[in-house]
Amino acid sequence: MRPALMEALTDVPTCRLDTPMSEVEDLIGDASFVLAVDERDVVLGKVLARSVDAAAGEGRARDHLIEGPTTVRADEDLDALTERMERADTSSVIVTTPEGRLLGLFVR
């Protein structure tokens, strides 16, 4: 693992698929999304803040899930990753293990 990337990771709020949206609303805080993970912390998808707002506490995370978010591995070259993120006009990317387990969020 490249230490620079691992040191730059931040925590990201998580929930389970069956988490009530009222709880997701409590979890999200100032974040732009909450990641849905399974019992092994494998990333299943994300629930966007705008979906949390629109749900008004109704339903469960699975009802508002965007499946298959883009992820990168922890051994990704930091310079190359930052360059790709700039080209894609994205400010953050989810970092996982090869098995898809959540490690954190890289924010440029």
Side-chain angles (χ1 to χ4, degrees), residues 25 56 67 91 94:
E25 190 173 7
E67 295 179 339
S91 61
I94 302 160

Side-chain angles (χ1 to χ4, degrees), residues 14-21 24 34-39 42-47 59-67:
T14 61
C15 68
R16 302 277 192 241
L17 291 176
D18 62 347
T19 302
M21 287 302 286
V24 175
V34 173
L35 289 177
V37 296
D38 69 10
E39 63 280 348
V42 172
V43 176
L44 304 172
K46 63 183 176 180
V47 179
R60 301 204 174 267
R62 75 168 56 84
D63 302 325
H64 304 276
L65 189 72
I66 297 174
E67 295 179 339

Side-chain angles (χ1 to χ4, degrees), residues 42-103:
V42 172
V43 176
L44 304 172
K46 63 183 176 180
V47 179
L48 299 178
R50 66 176 173 252
S51 296
V52 174
D53 292 341
E58 299 295 320
R60 301 204 174 267
R62 75 168 56 84
D63 302 325
H64 304 276
L65 189 72
I66 297 174
E67 295 179 339
T70 301
T71 62
V72 297
R73 301 297 173 255
D75 61 355
E76 183 88 20
D77 179 76
L78 189 57
D79 295 331
L81 174 60
T82 303
E83 187 176 305
R84 278 196 355 246
M85 290 172 70
E86 286 175 8
R87 283 195 313 266
D89 194 29
T90 187
S91 61
S92 65
V93 67
I94 302 160
V95 182
T96 64
T97 66
E99 298 78 29
R101 289 186 53 227
L102 179 64
L103 295 174

